[in-house]
Amino acid sequence: MSGAGNYIISWYGSTDATPQGLSLIHWRWNQAGGGYFGNQDDTFSESYTVPASGVFVGSGGAGDDQYTLGANGQAAFILGTPGWYELCLELQAPTWSGSGVLLQPLGIVNAATFAPATTPVAPLEMVALFGSGMATGTAQATDYPLPTNLLGTQVLINGTPAPLFYVSPTNISVVVPAAIHPDPGFPDDAPWATFQVVNNDTKSNSATVRAAFASPGVFTALSNGTGNAAMLHLDYSLVNASHPAVEGETVMLFLTGLGLVTPAVPNGAAASADPVSKTQSPVYVYIDNQWATVSFAGLAPGFAGLYQVNVVVPKTPHSGDVALDVDVENVAFSSQSSISIAGNSSSQASSRHCCR
């Protein structure tokens, strides 16, 4: 359990620590108090430097926790620092190997953020699968609607063939069918999405993850889910340090995993430009911990599984690379990326989790 002020949180989740000193983290948390009661998924990143002692304090979304690592990183004991009371044990996940068609049970991830294994999947989300022997070669879809079979490879999600972007022996990109989500009458129940790869009639093992109404992931310029968002000015030039966004400007943010849309789009079909398909759940964006007006949130016309959110840049206390947070109301929160901002006197990266 963890708590601060007048609320308390319990959570479970997973962490993917990279060699570059960055952790990608998912929490499924339940909060009581502090003006909010209920469950929400939260993905964020945290930087770290591991000294010889194995004891260090993280920097980022989890509230400056103190980590104590076990031998070879097989376990981590997490203790909150003053003002953020927390106690947690992390254990290293096992590795899988085998012959034939193998789908890694922990290799089902958001195609934008690569958030770790406990992160749920959402309807219409782009998902990346990792394994071995999953296809006889490499192939990419060339038109819409996306096919459900490439080179004899299929991906079944709860028995339904999923539209395919790309297949290779070790990596597959799919779009989750629209029917894969919780029962609206019981939104806090734990529905499941079971994935299985079929390579020319040879089936892989099954791997199951949780399904949710939304699981937002921002595409980034580095294509690894961290750093500056792959965000465009209205002239379609990239927002970056040499061409930053300014207060009052509308910029285009590209994501996946924002959930169902109206009007609905057939599985694998390209979204229409007229009418546009808007998200059913409200989407909120925060830049440098400041609320940013969203003028449009929906599927990007001409694409499947890709969402576009048009955002008006607010006045911010800092300039340079600042936090970019996306919140799908009462469902999921993503805080892994940043945006380059110009025109303010103080240059400093902002803290994350403005909205909790």
Side-chain angles (χ1 to χ4, degrees), residues 109-128:
V109 298
N110 183 292
T113 62
F114 301 96
T118 53
T119 309
V121 299
L124 308 182
E125 178 186 348
M126 291 184 191
V127 173

Side-chain angles (χ1 to χ4, degrees), residues 125-205:
E125 178 186 348
M126 291 184 191
V127 173
L129 311 181
F130 295 92
S132 59
M134 297 193 298
T136 58
T138 299
Q140 185 169 333
T142 58
D143 202 1
Y144 293 101
L146 297 174
T148 57
N149 188 314
L150 281 173
L151 292 183
T153 289
Q154 291 183 297
V155 174
L156 306 179
I157 307 179
N158 290 355
T160 299
L164 300 171
F165 276 112
Y166 171 85
V167 300
S168 77
T170 58
N171 174 228
I172 297 176
S173 298
V174 305
V175 177
V176 177
I180 308 298
H181 60 75
D183 184 338
F186 303 93
D188 288 331
D189 283 0
W192 304 103
T194 298
F195 286 72
Q196 186 174 46
V197 177
V198 183
N199 181 358
N200 289 285
D201 298 326
T202 300
K203 296 181 179 180
S204 74
N205 55 299

Side-chain angles (χ1 to χ4, degrees), residues 1-3 9 11 65 77-80 84-89:
M1 303 291 288
S2 63
I9 297 173
W11 61 272
D65 299 318
F77 183 75
I78 303 173
L79 184 66
W84 179 262
Y85 305 104
E86 182 170 16
L87 185 63
C88 176
L89 175 65

Side-chain angles (χ1 to χ4, degrees), residues 92-106:
Q92 190 177 77
T95 57
W96 284 267
S97 62
S99 59
V101 185
L102 174 68
L103 172 60
Q104 288 289 347
L106 302 183

Side-chain angles (χ1 to χ4, degrees), residues 67-318:
Y67 289 75
T68 302
L69 296 185
N72 300 316
Q74 295 182 68
F77 183 75
I78 303 173
L79 184 66
T81 50
W84 179 262
Y85 305 104
E86 182 170 16
L87 185 63
C88 176
L89 175 65
E90 291 188 341
L91 299 175
Q92 190 177 77
T95 57
W96 284 267
S97 62
S99 59
V101 185
L102 174 68
L103 172 60
Q104 288 289 347
L106 302 183
I108 301 170
V109 298
N110 183 292
T113 62
F114 301 96
T118 53
T119 309
V121 299
L124 308 182
E125 178 186 348
M126 291 184 191
V127 173
L129 311 181
F130 295 92
S132 59
M134 297 193 298
T136 58
T138 299
Q140 185 169 333
T142 58
D143 202 1
Y144 293 101
L146 297 174
T148 57
N149 188 314
L150 281 173
L151 292 183
T153 289
Q154 291 183 297
V155 174
L156 306 179
I157 307 179
N158 290 355
T160 299
L164 300 171
F165 276 112
Y166 171 85
V167 300
S168 77
T170 58
N171 174 228
I172 297 176
S173 298
V174 305
V175 177
V176 177
I180 308 298
H181 60 75
D183 184 338
F186 303 93
D188 288 331
D189 283 0
W192 304 103
T194 298
F195 286 72
Q196 186 174 46
V197 177
V198 183
N199 181 358
N200 289 285
D201 298 326
T202 300
K203 296 181 179 180
S204 74
N205 55 299
S206 296
T208 300
V209 298
R210 197 168 53 82
F213 288 111
S215 188
V218 176
F219 287 97
T220 62
L222 295 176
S223 299
N224 65 0
T226 64
N228 275 357
M231 183 178 280
L232 300 180
H233 299 278
L234 290 184
D235 64 1
Y236 295 98
S237 61
L238 187 66
V239 176
N240 55 27
S242 60
H243 194 187
V246 298
E247 178 187 343
E249 176 188 4
T250 296
V251 292
M252 296 179 287
L253 175 65
F254 295 94
L255 315 86
T256 194
L258 297 186
L260 296 172
V261 295
T262 301
V265 175
N267 289 334
S272 170
D274 187 17
V276 292
S277 291
K278 297 182 179 181
T279 59
Q280 293 184 6
S281 298
V283 176
Y284 304 99
V285 174
Y286 300 85
I287 295 175
D288 198 15
N289 293 348
Q290 309 302 306
W291 178 73
T293 300
V294 172
S295 57
F296 170 76
L299 286 173
F303 297 91
L306 180 67
Y307 294 78
Q308 177 178 329
V309 176
N310 293 352
V311 182
V312 180
V313 178
K315 182 177 181 179
T316 62
H318 305 112

